[in-house]
């Protein structure tokens, strides 16, 4: 039992260190900005836009897809993708949501883990957290 508790403690410490001791890294780009048109297709292995999200407020990564449906305020119909660090706490029951308004709509998704807001989403940090919780439940 002593060995199991030590292994569980070590796993939890490593998990917490990997998620909180180091800065979260998110893809940060805007396809509407010149030179960032490839923001639509950023892959998990891409590091071009991978940035440290410094500060205590940046706790998740975010991807916004915005559609301008018709000409409003001198904008032409368009779609853009914005990837950024976010201060929104992660809520697994509402990881993604949609907003609509005059002239367009927006899809917003928040996630946990370095680079999780790339076009091909990964959830390694979330999986590690779930694994730690399952181990904790198994051994207690």
């Amino acid at each position: 039992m002593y060995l199991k508790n030590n292994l569980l403690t070590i796993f939890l410490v490593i998990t917490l260190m990997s998620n909180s001791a180091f800065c979260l890294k998110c893809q940060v780009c805007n396809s509407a900005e010149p030179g960032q048109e490839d923001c639509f297709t950023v892959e998990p292995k891409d590091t071009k836009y991978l940035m440290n999200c410094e500060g205590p407020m940046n706790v998740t990564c975010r991807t916004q897809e915005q559609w301008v449906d018709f000409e409003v305020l001198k904008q032409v119909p368009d779609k853009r993708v914005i990837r950024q660090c976010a201060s929104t706490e992660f809520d697994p029951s509402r990881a993604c949501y949609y907003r609509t308004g005059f002239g367009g709509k927006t899809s917003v998704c928040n996630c946990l883990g370095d680079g999780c807001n790339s076009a091909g989403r990964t959830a390694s940090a979330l999986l590690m957290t779930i694994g730690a919780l399952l181990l904790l439940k198994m051994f207690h």
Side-chain angles (χ1 to χ4, degrees), residues 13-113:
V13 167
I14 290 171
T15 300
L16 292 173
M17 284 179 57
S18 69
N19 288 333
S20 63
F22 303 103
C23 291
L24 176 66
K25 294 181 181 182
C26 298
Q27 302 288 351
V28 177
C29 57
N30 183 337
S31 65
E33 294 292 324
Q36 295 185 17
E37 294 84 2
D38 59 342
C39 188
F40 278 108
T41 58
V42 174
E43 294 296 325
K45 66 183 182 320
D46 294 340
T47 58
K48 179 179 179 181
Y49 299 116
L50 197 61
M51 304 283 193
N52 285 332
C53 298
E54 297 183 14
M57 297 303 293
N58 291 312
V59 294
T60 58
C61 297
R62 173 181 293 155
T63 300
Q64 294 182 55
E65 293 183 7
Q66 298 177 341
W67 295 268
V68 177
D69 293 331
F70 56 88
E71 193 169 323
V72 177
L73 301 173
K74 300 181 183 176
Q75 294 187 36
V76 295
D78 191 19
K79 178 184 177 186
R80 64 184 67 126
V81 172
I82 301 167
R83 302 180 194 282
Q84 61 192 165
C85 303
S87 59
T88 307
E89 289 290 329
F90 183 73
D91 178 0
S93 68
R94 194 170 183 231
C96 295
Y97 57 91
Y98 295 91
R99 294 191 177 208
T100 60
F102 182 70
K105 59 187 173 249
T106 302
S107 163
V108 180
C109 291
N110 294 301
C111 59
L112 297 172

